[in-house]
Amino acid sequence: AASIASLGAQLHGGTGAIYLLDGGPQDDAQTRSLKDALSSLRIVTKDVAWRDVAPCMEEVVAEVRRRQSSDSGIADAVAPMFVVIYGLQRYRMLRKREDEFGLSVSADESRADPGRDFAEIVREGPAVGVHVIAWCDTPTAADRTLDRATLREFDHRVLFQMSATDSSNLIDSPIANRLGLYRALYHSEEQGVMEKFRPYGVIDTSDAETEL
């Protein structure tokens, strides 16, 4: 929600777009927080329903390819697009395709494949101003969707407490194993930055009182 609000503030001139894939449970008291953040923005936004995930991936990857082939590809980057995914583990259609031996299956180019499109967006999108922000509940679930090469395309990573092995797989350091309760770790591989911080939850306004 903070990321969406921050992006909205930076794109207040009306350029850019944000696509939201909200995989949060419907019975969660805070499940509306992302949609509320999205609805308050004055830019192009799209709340992608479950049935529309595949068409959304096709639309975004087509835009990536258009920008790559356009002579004005660099200029297009000034109108960035963001695909925000909350609950990546729930979107099974975005998972990498593997055979029983763990080798990637060669996809039929004539057949829609949201997982293949998603991987291409992550890999090729940033160079032309198309970015992905994703949250996943466990490293194991992330590994089901992203192969190691695709995971490395996410330069900015936030880790909560996890095993030393999972931490090492994600940032080549076991340090996330030593995080305490209500602590997180920000890591940027490109900038060589690793910083601890205290994350906060969304404010519950259901019983809030307004004071003048």
Side-chain angles (χ1 to χ4, degrees):
S3 297
I4 290 173
S6 177
L7 291 172
Q10 296 178 65
L11 304 175
H12 66 278
T15 59
I18 297 179
Y19 290 66
L20 172 65
L21 282 68
D22 187 357
Q26 295 303 309
D27 58 351
D28 189 336
Q30 296 181 338
T31 192
R32 290 291 311 173
S33 60
L34 295 181
K35 292 179 175 59
D36 289 343
L38 197 72
S39 65
S40 66
L41 305 183
R42 297 180 180 178
I43 59 173
V44 176
T45 61
K46 187 172 184 179
D47 183 8
V48 182
W50 187 266
R51 64 181 179 277
D52 296 328
V53 171
C56 174
M57 292 298 108
E58 287 188 65
E59 179 182 339
V60 176
V61 80
E63 176 63 13
V64 170
R65 293 169 182 169
R66 185 194 70 79
R67 294 187 181 196
Q68 287 177 320
S69 61
S70 173
D71 292 336
S72 59
I74 301 300
D76 283 340
V78 300
M81 295 175 62
F82 295 89
V83 178
V84 181
I85 305 175
Y86 176 70
L88 182 62
Q89 71 280 356
R90 295 198 61 205
Y91 291 95
R92 295 187 177 184
M93 70 286 286
L94 300 182
R95 291 180 180 177
K96 57 189 178 184
R97 298 177 62 193
E98 296 180 340
D99 62 14
E100 59 182 343
F101 300 106
L103 301 176
S104 296
V105 176
S106 57
D108 181 357
E109 292 295 334
S110 64
R111 183 171 150 223
D113 185 342
R116 182 187 63 210
D117 291 343
F118 177 60
E120 183 175 345
I121 293 166
V122 173
R123 185 176 62 252
E124 306 293 344
V128 290
V130 181
H131 308 275
V132 175
I133 300 173
W135 181 92
C136 195
D137 61 349
T138 67
T140 300
D143 186 59
R144 294 192 188 105
T145 303
L146 308 166
D147 58 35
R148 191 168 182 82
T150 305
L151 178 63
R152 290 297 180 186
E153 298 295 333
F154 287 88
D155 177 61
H156 303 281
R157 303 170 206 163
V158 174
L159 283 66
F160 287 82
Q161 188 178 47
M162 61 183 62
S163 71
T165 300
D166 287 337
S167 177
S168 296
N169 288 336
L170 289 172
I171 60 172
D172 297 323
S173 170
I175 191 171
N177 179 245
R178 301 195 292 270
L179 289 173
L181 191 63
Y182 305 126
R183 292 292 186 277
L185 183 72
Y186 164 73
H187 171 81
S188 171
E189 187 168 321
E190 181 178 353
Q191 299 176 5
V193 173
M194 192 177 297
E195 181 179 348
K196 292 181 182 179
F197 69 97
R198 179 178 295 177
Y200 289 88
V202 178
I203 297 174
D204 183 4
T205 59
S206 60
D207 58 352
E209 295 181 0
T210 303
E211 296 183 1
L212 298 178

